[in-house]
Amino acid sequence: DWYCECVAPHHGKQVAGVATCEHDECSEHAGTCMKEGQECVDTDFAADGTWLCRCVEPDEHGADVMGGAATCDRSEECEEHAATCLARGQVCHDDQTDPTQKGNWECRCVPPLEGMPAVGGLATCTMDECSAFCASCERLSAGEEKICEAHGQVCVDPDTTAAGNWECRCKEPKVGEAGVVRAAACELDECTADCPTCANGVR
């Protein structure tokens, strides 16, 4: 029953053999792309140095750059207002179906953030850090184990507009203080709780 397990930040496990280790480099470099209003993509989880920034709509025709920010095309209005969006990690979009129409530019959220765009201003972007994958989330990538679930607890994100505030909370009948960005300290008082092994039994 021996096994090989990958060393963090890589993840992977193999019983009675060498593990296949993977690592989503966007868990470390997503901020580089997001501050430019771009999306981070790791093209090969099994190799290092394969992350890149990719342009998002409406600038998706730009050139991807491995290991750095992409070069993206922008409309005339977004050239003027892009900094407003980029200051909050958002991307500027300008509906160019009618080039004569002005003032219809908008800021849009960059994945993994989600939210409704705002015409002529900043969007309200949110992210549930219990379900998304990011550097501040419960899981860095899809292959990572859920920290709260591994401890028999439940993950709750009390403010999806802020980063790094998810909590592990105890499941009944256990009680204890929630753990912010970590497992909670849960206890079970078998004299007062209701459970199969408790003095009260299950009511």
Side-chain angles (χ1 to χ4, degrees), residues 17 28 41 44 63 110:
E28 302 170 11
V41 178
D44 186 355
V110 176

Side-chain angles (χ1 to χ4, degrees), residues 95-161:
D95 185 356
Q96 300 181 68
T97 54
D98 182 2
T100 63
Q101 186 176 358
K102 301 297 181 182
N104 60 339
W105 64 275
E106 59 189 23
C107 292
R108 292 187 174 184
C109 304
V110 176
L113 296 172
E114 298 178 340
M116 293 297 295
V119 177
L122 292 168
T124 300
C125 303
T126 62
M127 177 175 62
D128 186 341
E129 294 181 298
C130 291
S131 58
F133 311 125
C134 68
S136 66
C137 294
E138 184 190 12
R139 289 185 292 172
L140 297 178
S141 64
E144 294 283 341
E145 185 177 31
K146 291 185 176 182
I147 296 173
C148 302
E149 187 177 280
H151 288 81
Q153 301 166 11
V154 61
C155 183
V156 177
D157 189 342
D159 184 359
T160 56
T161 64

Side-chain angles (χ1 to χ4, degrees), residues 23 25 41-52 66-67:
H23 172 45
E25 293 181 291
V41 178
D42 190 337
T43 59
D44 186 355
F45 290 168
D48 292 330
T50 57
W51 67 277
L52 55 84
M66 192 71 72

Side-chain angles (χ1 to χ4, degrees), residues 173-174 188-203:
K174 292 184 177 181
L188 174 64
D189 186 342
E190 294 181 296
C191 293
T192 59
D194 300 325
C195 70
T197 62
C198 295
N200 295 331
V202 179
R203 289 184 288 179

